[in-house]
Amino acid sequence: MSNLMIYGATGYTGRMAAEHAKAMGLDVVIAGRTAEKLESLAEQLDLPHRVFGMDALSADVLKDVKVLLNFAGPFAQTAQPLMHACIKAGVDYLDITAEINVYRLAERLGTQASEAGVMLLPGVGWDVVPTDCLAMHVARRVQNPQALRVALQVAGSMSRGSAMSAREIVGTGLMARVDGQLLATPDAQPRHFDFGQGLALCAPLSFGDLVTGWRSTAIPNIAMFVHITGDAFPAGDLSRLPDGPSIQERDGHPARAVAEVIDADGTIVRSVIETQNGYSYTPLAAVEAARRVLHGNRRPGFETPARVFGMGFAETIAGTTITDY
């Protein structure tokens, strides 16, 4: 049985994941939309491959697959058909997206997936594994958490695929979790956060944590922010961007996120997570998540990394530390 399918394996991050899964000795089949690229990668890695797009999904393409790990963005175009196909075929679905609408989709399909015995687990990459685990960690530092603020630090250059996903996120508009409800917040203002190196101005943005943070912590009020440095959010013709940053660029830009929780008594606590660069972290975390699911670490329905694997999961990836303030 080809236990794990990596879809979008010829992309910048998908290729790293396929290489890592192969090195771990997992039973992998790689898949995607472009036959020539897939055939070349399959030959390099000595792995089986399947070619199909979203308009050619059938039971056959997921035959003998237990877990689908989706790297093909923008996920607004791939998540819905792949989730439906997985539910129909009895295959657990994982992906690495930060696009909030994918999490909202997984939430809506949660009951259907549960009835089919299928887990929908978006966000097994840098977003949302570190932030989901960090949110659960910091929430447990107070007695009655009422509000959660999470800020990401995006440094260095962005891959072409991530830039396209970023446009999807921006296009959804500004939202926040208010008294348990996900609401539009067009007037949300920037805030300063300390990632451990002094205050940095962060802009509001609607990441998937507005869904996962609520599910993982039950904190009723959640807001998301991002601090951008350098050319992290490119503009213009995204198709002309390089595949992604070089190894040297990744090594020079570790990733950080900060989470602040406000207790009912007004107490504010803050924790910061630092990891290796998000593009280095994502294939390691995603393949490790898939490996655990293959070994039975799963819960049917819509789930989050911290709920399924525990709040310490993020720190199992090398180079990850959490600091409390």
Side-chain angles (χ1 to χ4, degrees):
M1 173 177 283
S2 299
N3 288 320
L4 173 62
M5 174 179 281
I6 295 179
Y7 190 80
T10 61
Y12 175 72
T13 313
R15 176 183 289 265
M16 288 190 283
E19 292 170 347
H20 184 54
K22 168 76 173 181
M24 288 181 66
L26 298 181
D27 187 2
V28 185
V29 56
I30 59 174
R33 293 163 284 197
T34 308
E36 184 177 354
K37 290 182 179 180
L38 268 174
E39 289 166 1
S40 176
L41 182 60
E43 184 176 354
Q44 292 174 37
L45 298 181
D46 190 25
L47 290 174
H49 69 283
R50 298 178 192 174
V51 181
F52 61 92
M54 298 302 98
D55 57 346
L57 281 171
S58 67
D60 288 343
V61 298
L62 294 179
K63 183 180 179 181
D64 298 330
V65 173
K66 291 179 65 177
V67 175
L68 172 71
L69 180 51
N70 181 18
F71 283 84
F75 294 86
Q77 299 175 10
T78 62
Q80 181 168 334
L82 287 174
M83 283 186 191
H84 281 292
C86 284
I87 291 171
K88 186 175 181 180
V91 173
D92 288 333
Y93 173 91
L94 284 63
D95 70 31
I96 60 161
T97 189
E99 298 170 32
I100 186 170
N101 283 338
V102 173
Y103 296 87
R104 299 171 76 186
L105 170 66
E107 192 174 40
R108 291 195 301 272
L109 293 176
T111 299
Q112 184 180 348
S114 181
E115 291 172 350
V118 168
M119 180 166 67
L120 302 179
L121 184 63
V124 293
W126 196 86
D127 197 51
V128 296
V129 168
T131 47
D132 192 42
C133 293
L134 184 68
M136 187 177 285
H137 169 89
V138 73
R140 296 189 180 188
R141 295 180 58 200
V142 298
Q143 292 296 316
N144 190 11
Q146 293 299 305
L148 169 68
R149 295 189 290 251
V150 179
L152 316 180
Q153 188 178 59
V154 179
S157 58
M158 184 177 285
S159 74
R160 182 168 57 247
S162 292
M164 292 178 178
S165 274
R167 280 194 173 175
E168 293 287 341
I169 295 169
V170 172
T172 63
L174 296 178
M175 289 182 282
R177 181 77 57 177
V178 180
D179 294 331
Q181 301 298 311
L182 194 59
L183 302 177
T185 54
D187 298 324
Q189 298 299 307
R191 299 181 61 99
H192 285 88
F193 291 86
D194 188 347
F195 295 90
Q197 301 173 320
L199 292 176
L201 186 63
C202 301
L205 201 62
S206 304
F207 287 102
D209 303 78
L210 292 174
V211 178
T212 58
W214 163 243
R215 187 161 184 84
S216 293
T217 69
I219 295 175
N221 300 286
I222 304 174
M224 292 293 303
F225 299 84
V226 62
H227 175 63
I228 303 167
T229 62
D231 56 352
F233 268 40
D237 184 0
L238 301 184
S239 67
R240 303 182 65 179
L241 291 175
D243 286 347
S246 66
I247 295 175
Q248 292 76 17
E249 288 175 314
R250 297 202 307 266
D251 288 347
H253 292 96
R256 299 180 184 89
V258 58
E260 294 181 352
V261 161
I262 304 174
D263 192 62
D265 66 4
T267 300
I268 301 176
V269 296
R270 174 171 62 95
S271 296
V272 174
I273 191 166
E274 179 173 326
T275 74
Q276 55 186 296
N277 184 273
Y279 290 110
S280 300
Y281 187 98
T282 290
L284 301 179
V287 171
E288 174 59 18
R291 186 193 69 81
R292 293 188 183 204
V293 176
L294 286 169
H295 283 80
N297 196 174
R298 57 187 298 279
R299 297 168 62 169
F302 166 55
E303 278 299 343
T304 71
R307 278 170 52 97
V308 175
F309 308 127
M311 69 179 183
F313 177 57
E315 296 170 277
T316 66
I317 307 303
T320 302
T321 58
I322 292 179
T323 304
D324 294 331
Y325 295 92

